[in-house]
Amino acid sequence: SLTGSPVTLKILQNWVPRVSHYFDKEHYTYVGHQIVIQESIEHFGAVVWPGALALSQYLESNQEQFNLKDKKVLEIGAGTGLLSIVACILGAHVTATDLPEVLENLSYNISRNTKNLNMRKPEVRKLVWGESLNEDFPVSTYHYDFILATDVVYHHGALDPLLATMVHFCKPGTVLLWANKFRFSTDYEFLEKVCNIFNTTILAEFPESNVKLLKATVRKN
């Protein structure tokens, strides 16, 4: 079951579309930094979706509630890397993960936007949901304070592996922050599964964008 009364928010138009020969670069401003994101039309994961904007905005506005400074943060389905870049600017030690075919664009965006920051650069790693989790990210070695996930639930067949991935990384003390555009019945079915496994709270809703932002933690036995 869901707890908490969410705040109602609007995704602020804090990006400036620029005229570009390629029409592939979006300019955003978060935490006082201009972030330039190269998108790719070839992959779902290479476009900035509203959940990433919503969670980036929320983390910027709620730094006291969710202080990322020196925290270990894992983003699953990092896509273009916008959220991982924002988390890095907020002082987190970030690992950004996605499918192999997305990593080149992801790495490019992250290195380009963090190269002049006096902070630890995000690490970029391959992560296929539900595959080789114990080998690539053994629980004994990898413990994260925060798991970030945005718009990871849409029409695809990998929802069970996604849930398994969330369960693998969400240990006692870990906070999962998940922002998603809710469009289909499958989105709500996935939400129900998350609520059955974790203590789940809706932190915020962005009605114009159909985005909900949820916080989930492991249930105490």
Side-chain angles (χ1 to χ4, degrees):
S1 63
L2 286 164
T3 59
S5 48
V7 292
T8 302
L9 298 171
K10 185 176 175 184
I11 294 178
L12 301 172
Q13 301 287 320
N14 62 345
W15 70 94
V16 193
R18 299 292 172 100
V19 179
S20 152
H21 295 300
Y22 302 103
F23 304 104
D24 63 349
K25 291 187 175 53
E26 295 280 358
H27 295 240
Y28 303 87
T29 306
Y30 288 103
V31 205
H33 288 72
Q34 183 162 320
I35 301 169
V36 182
I37 295 294
Q38 176 171 287
E39 297 187 328
S40 158
I41 52 172
E42 291 169 29
H43 303 293
F44 268 137
V47 176
V48 176
W49 295 98
L53 301 175
L55 187 47
S56 294
Q57 179 180 318
Y58 194 85
L59 290 174
E60 178 183 26
S61 309
N62 294 274
Q63 295 178 47
E64 286 180 13
Q65 184 184 2
F66 297 109
N67 179 7
L68 299 190
K69 189 156 175 49
D70 296 326
K71 298 293 196 298
K72 289 188 176 161
V73 171
L74 174 76
E75 185 178 5
I76 57 176
T80 61
L82 175 65
L83 180 58
S84 283
I85 294 161
V86 172
C88 172
I89 293 169
L90 289 168
H93 300 167
V94 181
T95 303
T97 66
D98 212 314
L99 296 169
E101 58 268 26
V102 179
L103 295 186
E104 187 180 352
N105 193 56
L106 173 60
S107 299
Y108 172 78
N109 282 329
I110 284 181
S111 60
R112 162 193 194 149
N113 286 285
T114 60
K115 64 175 186 280
N116 297 324
L117 296 179
N118 189 20
M119 294 166 184
R120 185 184 294 209
K121 302 284 179 283
E123 181 186 8
V124 175
R125 290 189 59 177
K126 177 190 88 168
L127 173 60
V128 181
W129 296 336
E131 288 186 16
S132 308
L133 295 175
N134 292 320
E135 293 79 21
D136 295 344
F137 294 90
V139 175
S140 54
T141 316
Y142 292 93
H143 183 278
Y144 296 97
D145 301 297
F146 290 93
I147 310 297
L148 307 180
T150 62
D151 287 315
V152 287
V153 177
Y154 47 92
H155 265 328
H156 61 70
L159 292 180
D160 288 339
L162 171 60
L163 191 60
T165 302
M166 289 176 166
V167 168
H168 175 82
F169 286 112
C170 249
K171 298 302 171 208
T174 302
V175 173
L176 167 66
L177 295 174
W178 167 40
N180 217 92
K181 191 174 174 100
F182 280 79
R183 289 160 284 207
F184 310 113
S185 59
T186 45
D187 303 343
Y188 288 97
E189 286 161 18
F190 185 85
L191 173 59
E192 200 174 318
K193 288 181 178 177
V194 168
C195 292
N196 288 339
I197 294 174
F198 300 107
N199 289 326
T200 311
T201 308
I202 300 188
L203 296 174
E205 293 186 292
F206 300 77
E208 288 178 25
S209 320
N210 293 327
V211 170
K212 296 183 197 302
L213 170 55
L214 299 107
K215 169 189 167 189
T217 54
V218 172
R219 291 212 174 118
K220 302 224 172 25
N221 290 336

